[in-house]
Amino acid sequence: MAHGDRLSVVDGRGLTLIGDVTGLKGGAHGTYVSASTGLGFTDDGEAGKAIAFDLKTLAVRATLDAAPDADAIAGGGRGVYVIDGDSGVITVIDPAGLRVVDTIKVGGSLESAAVDGEDHLFVNGAERAEIVRIDTATNAVTARWPVPDCKSPHGMAIDPPRHRLFTSCVNGRLDVLDTQSGREVASAPIGLGTDSAAFDPVRRRVFSSNGRDGTISVIEEVDADTYRPLAPVKTQVGARTMAVDTSTGRLFVASAEIDPAGPTTGRRRFLPGTLKLLVFDPAK
């Protein structure tokens, strides 16, 4: 769980704090686990750095140059991909060699990303309202798919076997695209202020965490082209960063108390010492 100047590691079953990766003075945002190398990756957004740490000891193993506003991180297949949001570029890291191997110039501000296991990386082009597809074998942009009804696409999740990509929009909608053609096959209503999306392939549900509403929207994947909204889960205003444990179905959402003296629009400030992890069990 990336927050402030650290990344906290929590036991997802026992719900206990294991420890922290510290020293990220410019603010941590994204997280990716490379099980094959025994490493985790996070970022220092202000410094424009990517940080590799040991999954067992949580000690920092390497600090690599990314770009300003290093934010979301995706990985799998050929590399680890740091989405440098405001810089409009993607830093490509070889997790085994712990080195930067490429920088992909995408353009416009970027948000979340996902890989499909078939040599494709997809990223939300928030500024240009588009989904960008990248060939991870060549690190070249191979498609740009407009999503004109999606204001600032933020969260992203994927169902690779069914070739479906889910992008959550801050104007209260979830768009479903075909990963092969970019065709929009469906949309569904979600709450306002989305930041993360997740997909549970076991229970076939798509989730959007909505910080403005303080909810998690739940969308059932009936089949590849049919999506049915279910009752939302109540969280807390400001709770917007989410992950799902697909083996148990548990949802994890990070939240904190909003500073009442801070700005009322744009990026809200949170009160120090109020961070908490909200856990939701689908069986309950």
Coordinates of all heavy atoms in Angstrom, one line a residue, residues 147 149-150 164-169 171-177 183-190 219-220 224-229:
V147 N -12.0 7.2 -26.5 CA -13.1 6.9 -25.7 C -13.8 8.3 -25.3 O -13.7 8.8 -24.2 CB -12.7 6.1 -24.4 CG1 -12.5 4.7 -24.7 CG2 -11.4 6.7 -23.7
D149 N -16.7 9.4 -24.7 CA -17.7 9.6 -23.6 C -17.1 9.4 -22.2 O -17.8 9.5 -21.2 CB -18.9 8.7 -23.8 CG -19.7 9.0 -25.1 OD1 -19.8 10.2 -25.4 OD2 -20.1 8.0 -25.8
C150 N -15.8 9.1 -22.2 CA -15.1 8.8 -20.9 C -14.3 10.0 -20.6 O -13.3 10.3 -21.2 CB -14.3 7.6 -21.1 SG -13.3 7.2 -19.6
R164 N -11.3 -8.5 -23.0 CA -12.0 -7.3 -22.5 C -11.2 -6.5 -21.6 O -10.5 -6.9 -20.7 CB -13.3 -7.8 -21.8 CG -14.3 -8.5 -22.7 CD -14.8 -7.5 -23.8 NE -15.8 -8.1 -24.7 CZ -15.5 -8.6 -25.9 NH1 -14.2 -8.5 -26.4 NH2 -16.4 -9.1 -26.7
L165 N -11.2 -5.1 -21.9 CA -10.5 -4.1 -21.1 C -11.5 -3.2 -20.5 O -12.5 -2.8 -21.1 CB -9.6 -3.3 -22.1 CG -8.7 -2.3 -21.4 CD1 -7.5 -3.1 -20.7 CD2 -8.1 -1.3 -22.4
F166 N -11.3 -3.0 -19.2 CA -12.2 -2.1 -18.4 C -11.5 -0.8 -18.0 O -10.5 -0.9 -17.4 CB -12.7 -2.9 -17.2 CG -13.2 -4.3 -17.4 CD1 -12.4 -5.3 -17.1 CD2 -14.4 -4.5 -18.1 CE1 -12.8 -6.6 -17.3 CE2 -14.8 -5.8 -18.3 CZ -14.0 -6.9 -18.0
T167 N -12.1 0.3 -18.4 CA -11.6 1.6 -18.0 C -12.6 2.4 -17.3 O -13.8 2.5 -17.8 CB -11.0 2.4 -19.2 OG1 -10.4 3.6 -18.8 CG2 -12.1 2.7 -20.3
S168 N -12.3 2.9 -16.1 CA -13.2 3.7 -15.3 C -13.0 5.1 -15.5 O -11.9 5.6 -15.6 CB -13.1 3.3 -13.8 OG -11.8 3.6 -13.3
C169 N -14.1 5.9 -15.6 CA -14.1 7.3 -16.0 C -14.6 8.1 -14.9 O -15.5 7.8 -14.2 CB -15.0 7.5 -17.2 SG -14.8 6.3 -18.5
N171 N -16.3 10.7 -14.8 CA -17.7 11.2 -15.0 C -18.7 10.1 -14.8 O -19.9 10.2 -15.2 CB -17.9 11.8 -16.4 CG -17.6 10.9 -17.5 OD1 -16.6 10.1 -17.4 ND2 -18.3 11.0 -18.6
G172 N -18.4 9.0 -14.1 CA -19.4 8.1 -13.6 C -19.8 7.0 -14.6 O -21.0 6.6 -14.6
R173 N -18.8 6.5 -15.4 CA -19.1 5.4 -16.3 C -17.9 4.5 -16.4 O -16.8 4.9 -16.2 CB -19.6 5.9 -17.7 CG -18.5 6.6 -18.4 CD -19.1 7.1 -19.8 NE -19.0 6.0 -20.8 CZ -19.9 5.8 -21.7 NH1 -21.0 6.6 -21.8 NH2 -19.8 4.9 -22.6
L174 N -18.2 3.2 -16.7 CA -17.2 2.2 -16.9 C -17.3 1.8 -18.4 O -18.4 1.4 -18.8 CB -17.4 1.0 -16.0 CG -16.4 -0.1 -16.3 CD1 -15.1 0.1 -15.4 CD2 -17.0 -1.5 -15.9
D175 N -16.3 1.9 -19.2 CA -16.3 1.5 -20.6 C -15.6 0.1 -20.7 O -14.6 -0.1 -20.1 CB -15.6 2.5 -21.4 CG -16.4 3.8 -21.7 OD1 -17.6 3.8 -21.3 OD2 -15.9 4.7 -22.3
V176 N -16.2 -0.7 -21.5 CA -15.7 -2.0 -21.8 C -15.3 -2.1 -23.3 O -16.1 -1.9 -24.2 CB -16.7 -3.2 -21.5 CG1 -16.1 -4.5 -21.7 CG2 -17.3 -3.0 -20.1
L177 N -14.0 -2.4 -23.5 CA -13.4 -2.4 -24.9 C -12.9 -3.8 -25.3 O -12.5 -4.6 -24.4 CB -12.3 -1.4 -25.1 CG -12.7 0.1 -25.3 CD1 -13.2 0.7 -24.0 CD2 -11.4 0.9 -25.7
R183 N -12.9 -1.8 -30.1 CA -14.3 -1.5 -30.2 C -14.9 -1.5 -28.8 O -14.7 -2.3 -27.9 CB -15.0 -2.6 -31.0 CG -16.5 -2.5 -31.1 CD -17.1 -3.6 -32.0 NE -16.7 -5.0 -31.4 CZ -17.5 -5.7 -30.6 NH1 -18.7 -5.1 -30.2 NH2 -17.2 -6.9 -30.2
E184 N -15.8 -0.5 -28.5 CA -16.5 -0.4 -27.3 C -17.7 -1.4 -27.3 O -18.6 -1.3 -28.2 CB -17.0 1.0 -27.0 CG -17.7 1.1 -25.6 CD -18.2 2.5 -25.3 OE1 -17.4 3.4 -25.4 OE2 -19.4 2.6 -25.0
V185 N -17.7 -2.4 -26.4 CA -18.7 -3.4 -26.5 C -19.8 -3.1 -25.4 O -21.0 -3.7 -25.6 CB -18.2 -4.8 -26.3 CG1 -17.2 -5.1 -27.4 CG2 -17.5 -4.9 -24.9
A186 N -19.5 -2.3 -24.4 CA -20.6 -2.1 -23.4 C -20.1 -0.9 -22.5 O -18.9 -0.5 -22.6 CB -20.8 -3.3 -22.5
S187 N -21.0 -0.4 -21.7 CA -20.7 0.6 -20.7 C -21.6 0.3 -19.5 O -22.7 -0.3 -19.6 CB -20.8 2.0 -21.2 OG -22.2 2.3 -21.5
A188 N -21.3 0.8 -18.3 CA -22.1 0.7 -17.1 C -21.9 1.9 -16.2 O -20.8 2.5 -16.2 CB -21.7 -0.6 -16.4
P189 N -22.9 2.2 -15.5 CA -22.7 3.4 -14.5 C -21.9 3.0 -13.3 O -22.0 1.8 -12.8 CB -24.2 3.7 -14.1 CG -24.9 2.4 -14.3 CD -24.3 1.7 -15.4
I190 N -21.1 3.9 -12.9 CA -20.3 3.7 -11.6 C -20.4 5.0 -10.8 O -21.0 6.0 -11.3 CB -18.8 3.4 -11.9 CG1 -18.2 4.5 -12.7 CG2 -18.7 2.1 -12.6 CD1 -16.7 4.4 -12.9
I219 N -19.8 -4.4 -10.8 CA -20.4 -4.8 -12.1 C -20.2 -6.3 -12.4 O -19.0 -6.7 -12.4 CB -19.8 -3.9 -13.3 CG1 -19.7 -2.4 -12.9 CG2 -20.5 -4.2 -14.5 CD1 -21.1 -1.8 -12.7
E220 N -21.3 -7.0 -12.6 CA -21.2 -8.4 -12.9 C -20.9 -8.6 -14.4 O -21.7 -8.0 -15.2 CB -22.4 -9.1 -12.5 CG -22.4 -10.6 -12.8 CD -23.7 -11.3 -12.4 OE1 -24.7 -10.6 -12.2 OE2 -23.6 -12.6 -12.3
A224 N -19.2 -11.9 -22.2 CA -18.2 -11.0 -22.8 C -18.8 -9.7 -23.2 O -18.0 -8.6 -23.2 CB -17.4 -11.6 -23.9
D225 N -20.0 -9.6 -23.5 CA -20.7 -8.4 -24.0 C -21.8 -7.8 -23.1 O -22.4 -6.8 -23.5 CB -21.2 -8.6 -25.4 CG -20.1 -8.9 -26.4 OD1 -19.0 -8.5 -26.2 OD2 -20.4 -9.6 -27.4
T226 N -22.0 -8.5 -22.0 CA -23.1 -8.1 -21.1 C -22.6 -7.9 -19.7 O -22.0 -8.8 -19.1 CB -24.2 -9.2 -21.1 OG1 -24.6 -9.5 -22.4 CG2 -25.4 -8.7 -20.3
Y227 N -22.9 -6.7 -19.1 CA -22.4 -6.3 -17.8 C -23.6 -5.7 -17.0 O -24.3 -4.8 -17.5 CB -21.3 -5.3 -18.0 CG -20.1 -5.9 -18.7 CD1 -20.1 -6.0 -20.1 CD2 -19.1 -6.6 -17.9 CE1 -19.0 -6.7 -20.7 CE2 -18.1 -7.2 -18.6 CZ -18.0 -7.3 -20.0 OH -17.0 -7.9 -20.6
R228 N -23.8 -6.2 -15.8 CA -24.9 -5.8 -15.0 C -24.5 -5.2 -13.7 O -23.8 -5.8 -12.9 CB -25.8 -7.1 -14.7 CG -27.0 -6.8 -13.8 CD -27.8 -8.1 -13.7 NE -27.1 -9.2 -13.1 CZ -27.5 -10.4 -13.1 NH1 -28.6 -10.8 -13.8 NH2 -26.8 -11.4 -12.5
P229 N -24.9 -3.9 -13.4 CA -24.5 -3.3 -12.1 C -25.2 -4.0 -10.9 O -26.4 -4.4 -11.0 CB -25.1 -1.9 -12.3 CG -25.2 -1.7 -13.7 CD -25.6 -3.0 -14.3

